[in-house]
Amino acid sequence: EVQLVESGGGLVQPGGSLRLSCAASGFTFSSYWMSWVRQAPGKGLEWVANIKQDGSEKYYVDSVKGRFTISRDNAKNSLYLQMNSLRAEDTAVYYCARVVPYSSTFDYWGQGTLVTVSS
Amino acid sequence: QSVLTQPPSVSAAPGQKVTISCSGSSSNIGNNYVSWYQQLPGTAPKLLIYDNNKRPSGIPDRFSGSKSGTSATLGITGLQTGDEADYYCGTWDSSLFWVFGGGTKLTVL
């Protein structure tokens, strides 16, 4: 059974940093692109970042470029999101999601972890 | 404002049929597959439809998807109270990577 379990969320002050983790199991993690998708309170879904199977390609939504870094450790079946210079508008539930090969589809999602940026 | 446009809400009675539209452009829906996600209250999104009209294993055939030009549609027949949720369309955009619609809240009256 495919499982994605996020952790690392919490309350952080504006300008602060946080590192999210996503532990994957039930599939060959190193064979898939992975993503982070977020959802602000009461709002819709927003794609945040993607990383290729071997970590050689990474893409970000414009609003987080230069502040967030996506990474992965295939030996640990883990995905990460390092978030720096956090802003109030980054407050959201962050989901990790698996990308279907050759498709514009996220087929499995974690339960999400809440990040709150507030003083 | 979302790149893909969905109606904020739709409603129908139990047992009835409802459709949810998703409008985009040639840079996204017009040239890429569309997916649909169901988000029940307080839970993570769940894949409902992929590649315009395919259902993952376990998704009942009450759910269907279609695409024409730069628009896509999700159809749900035999509505149940358990279908009350937010529904999102999503696809690849040539300039913006992955994009989603703003979501549609389904109410089963």
Side-chain angles (χ1 to χ4, degrees):
Chain A
E1 178 193 5
V2 172
Q3 283 199 322
L4 299 170
V5 180
E6 302 93 336
S7 60
L11 175 63
V12 61
Q13 292 188 338
S17 297
L18 215 53
R19 188 195 196 207
L20 305 184
S21 299
C22 172
S25 61
F27 65 102
T28 305
F29 180 72
S30 59
S31 296
Y32 290 84
W33 281 78
M34 295 295 296
S35 292
W36 288 97
V37 177
R38 68 184 177 183
Q39 185 172 33
K43 301 297 185 182
L45 302 172
E46 180 184 39
W47 167 77
V48 174
N50 259 37
I51 185 168
K52 194 177 178 179
Q53 291 92 329
D54 61 359
S56 62
E57 294 182 36
K58 303 174 185 181
Y59 301 97
Y60 302 91
V61 68
D62 283 349
S63 59
V64 308
K65 281 180 184 174
R67 300 188 300 122
F68 289 12
T69 301
I70 189 172
S71 63
R72 63 192 297 162
D73 185 335
N74 288 340
K76 295 183 178 180
N77 290 337
S78 292
L79 176 72
Y80 306 101
L81 187 66
Q82 177 67 43
M83 303 186 295
N84 299 330
S85 302
L86 282 161
R87 307 166 180 166
E89 54 265 35
D90 296 318
T91 294
V93 174
Y94 285 73
Y95 297 101
C96 71
R98 191 178 82 167
V99 181
V100 175
Y102 311 108
S103 176
S104 53
T105 299
F106 302 105
D107 60 348
Y108 286 95
W109 300 63
Q111 86 288 352
T113 187
L114 176 62
V115 172
T116 303
V117 184
S118 174
S119 55
Chain B
Q1 188 141 355
S2 301
V3 173
L4 306 180
T5 302
Q6 297 180 234
S9 64
V10 296
S11 62
Q16 296 299 304
K17 173 182 177 178
V18 70
T19 61
I20 298 173
S21 61
C22 176
S23 177
S25 68
S26 58
S27 67
N28 41 67
I29 291 179
N31 284 285
N32 294 286
Y33 287 122
V34 176
S35 303
W36 289 91
Y37 304 89
Q38 177 193 58
Q39 187 174 35
L40 296 169
T43 69
K46 173 185 173 183
L47 179 63
L48 210 56
I49 297 288
Y50 69 100
D51 290 358
N52 300 335
N53 55 19
K54 299 186 174 93
R55 285 177 286 106
S57 173
I59 301 299
D61 58 8
R62 299 188 299 108
F63 296 90
S64 63
S66 64
K67 189 186 98 166
S68 178
T70 59
S71 294
T73 302
L74 173 70
I76 311 173
T77 60
L79 276 172
Q80 302 173 1
T81 55
D83 296 332
E84 286 203 335
D86 293 325
Y87 293 84
Y88 294 90
C89 58
T91 188
W92 170 269
D93 184 285
S94 58
S95 301
L96 302 170
F97 300 105
W98 274 265
V99 291
F100 294 97
T104 299
K105 182 177 181 61
L106 169 64
T107 300
V108 180
L109 301 169

